[in-house]
Amino acid sequence: MIAARASTRADLEAAMVLARDGVVQNSNWLPVTRHLDGLEFALVPAGCFTMGSTDSQLALALDFCERFFGRGNCQVDFKSSETPAHEVCFDQPFWIQVTEVSNRAYGASSSVDMYRNLSWPRETVTWYQASEFCQRHKARLPSGEEWEYAARGPDSVVFPWGDDFDLENVISGRLVPAEVGSIPSGSSWVGALDMSGGMAEWVEEPYIPYGQGPTAPGAPEATGQRVLRGGSWFSFSPYMLRSAHREAADPDTANSTIGFRCARDTDLPQ
């Protein structure tokens, strides 16, 4: 899906009117991008989606997992991390970065020689480093809700491009990363790239099971762990690459499969 850049003030104002009106299905939206404070962002319109996995989507995840580990050998508890499926609505649009932050945008690569390609995503970055980078660019890490909505849209698709897995749409099952945005066929409905594969991406909030947030009666305390989304270049099964999939990690974790992208509110100067 090719995004149209809002290069003029008139273009941006027209796009914002449509974004605030909201959408009810993915096909209602034509991707719009904008260069803001050194980063390229895609506009995400207002709307609602089903976050997490339905019973049929859980069955699909289990099937992928058992194909990888063998029947009866999948140890991933999808139900605890992806249910209950629940509606999430956005009254206001927001921006999400088109690609993961690259080494070029970050201004440095990791210390590992093989990952020094400037166009590859910045990896080996902690949650704290990712958050600090976004703040320097008048942005922030996306919430889990924002990330998943930008990946799935009102249609609540399993993968950014649809419900059926296609290895040609992802940077995954490899021994090294690849350039950010190098597989446009894997684009989400808003024009965000590499939301499946590439790097597993930090999002803002602590890891807490759905329906058991800090304000819920009897809810557990946050573990202190943060959430990673989207799978990575080293993900060897589609279950890891689904948009509903969540992984918990300590915020000071940094390895060659972890990167990030930023989000930004639309009420900031554009």
Side-chain angles (χ1 to χ4, degrees), residues 25-162:
Q25 58 188 37
N26 292 13
S27 60
N28 291 154
W29 185 248
L30 178 65
V32 174
T33 65
R34 180 83 169 176
H35 201 70
L36 299 168
D37 290 287
L39 303 175
E40 190 76 8
F41 288 88
L43 185 58
V44 184
C48 299
F49 82 112
T50 299
M51 187 174 187
S53 291
T54 62
D55 288 345
S56 62
Q57 290 167 347
L58 285 176
L60 179 65
L62 179 61
D63 182 60
F64 283 138
C65 187
E66 291 194 332
R67 289 186 191 184
F68 184 69
F69 289 107
R71 294 298 171 186
N73 294 325
C74 177
Q75 301 299 311
V76 182
D77 188 356
F78 297 110
K79 188 171 184 178
S80 68
S81 64
E82 300 178 22
T83 65
H86 54 287
E87 185 180 65
V88 174
C89 293
F90 294 89
D91 296 329
Q92 295 296 323
F94 60 92
W95 296 97
I96 194 160
Q97 203 173 343
V98 172
T99 68
E100 295 153 340
V101 173
S102 66
N103 286 323
R104 179 180 287 107
Y106 196 85
S109 67
S110 74
S111 60
V112 182
D113 287 343
M114 67 183 292
Y115 302 132
R116 291 179 182 267
N117 187 313
L118 291 177
S119 296
W120 285 3
R122 181 60 165 87
E123 36 73 31
T124 315
V125 58
T126 68
W127 179 91
Y128 302 106
Q129 292 169 325
S131 180
E132 181 182 2
F133 174 89
C134 292
Q135 291 175 33
R136 291 201 305 269
H137 289 264
K138 300 180 183 179
R140 54 182 170 72
L141 289 174
S143 69
E145 289 87 353
E146 288 173 332
W147 191 97
E148 192 168 328
Y149 179 57
R152 306 181 72 183
D155 295 351
S156 301
V157 291
V158 176
F159 302 98
W161 56 86

